[in-house]
């Protein structure tokens, strides 16, 4: 099986007034279904109240993260799924629940991890 990252940036979310509760309910329902199916690994959202920091090998910290790159924010979900086709199906379900497109990426296998 392959682990897939399903994610979206904060800016992608366009939640009409009054729809936030339904979005939370719908997205949690899909997560519960992934757990019941045995494919859920973990998920959550980036805490945007804590600024990113870029840490070098010598321990130097640069506040603000990587310069010149789009920010890593929003939400994500990692699922362990047997096929790309099934990963697309789960990503579509998350997109519907979250009311925004989702980016799908496969993790490379590292036997030492």
């Amino acid at each position: 099986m392959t682990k897939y990252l399903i994610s979206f940036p904060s800016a992608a979310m366009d939640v009409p007034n009054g729809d936030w509760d339904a979005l939370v309910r719908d997205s949690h329902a899909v997560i519960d279904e992934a757990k019941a199916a045995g494919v859920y690994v973990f998920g959550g959202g980036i805490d945007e109240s804590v600024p990113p920091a870029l840490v070098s090998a010598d321990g130097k910290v640069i506040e603000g993260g990587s310069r010149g790159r789009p920010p890593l924010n929003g939400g994500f979900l990692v699922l362990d799924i047997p096929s790309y086709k099934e990963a697309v199906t789960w990503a579509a379900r998350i997109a519907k629940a979250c009311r925004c497109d989702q980016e799908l990426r496969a993790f490379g296998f590292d036997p030492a991890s």
Side-chain angles (χ1 to χ4, degrees):
M1 299 234 296
T2 301
K3 289 180 179 55
Y4 289 90
L5 173 68
I6 300 170
S7 64
F8 62 92
S10 295
M13 295 200 70
D14 183 19
V15 183
N17 289 340
D19 200 31
W20 187 254
D21 289 340
L23 182 149
V24 170
R25 180 197 65 230
D26 294 348
S27 61
H28 286 178
V30 175
I31 290 168
D32 289 343
E33 292 168 16
K35 288 176 180 178
V39 298
Y40 181 86
V41 177
F42 67 92
I46 302 297
D47 184 346
E48 295 179 45
S49 70
V50 178
L54 186 63
V55 181
S56 67
D58 65 3
K60 181 179 176 186
V61 177
I62 299 172
E63 296 298 328
S66 298
R67 307 254 190 277
R69 294 185 182 161
L72 174 60
N73 58 22
F76 64 91
L77 180 66
V78 176
L79 302 179
D80 197 10
I81 301 178
S83 72
Y84 179 78
K85 183 178 178 181
E86 190 174 340
V88 168
T89 299
W90 279 104
R93 293 173 72 186
I94 293 292
K96 183 177 181 182
C98 290
R99 281 99 167 137
C100 65
D101 292 344
Q102 301 291 304
E103 184 172 279
L104 178 64
R105 293 181 180 260
F107 282 99
F109 176 69
D110 179 356
S113 66

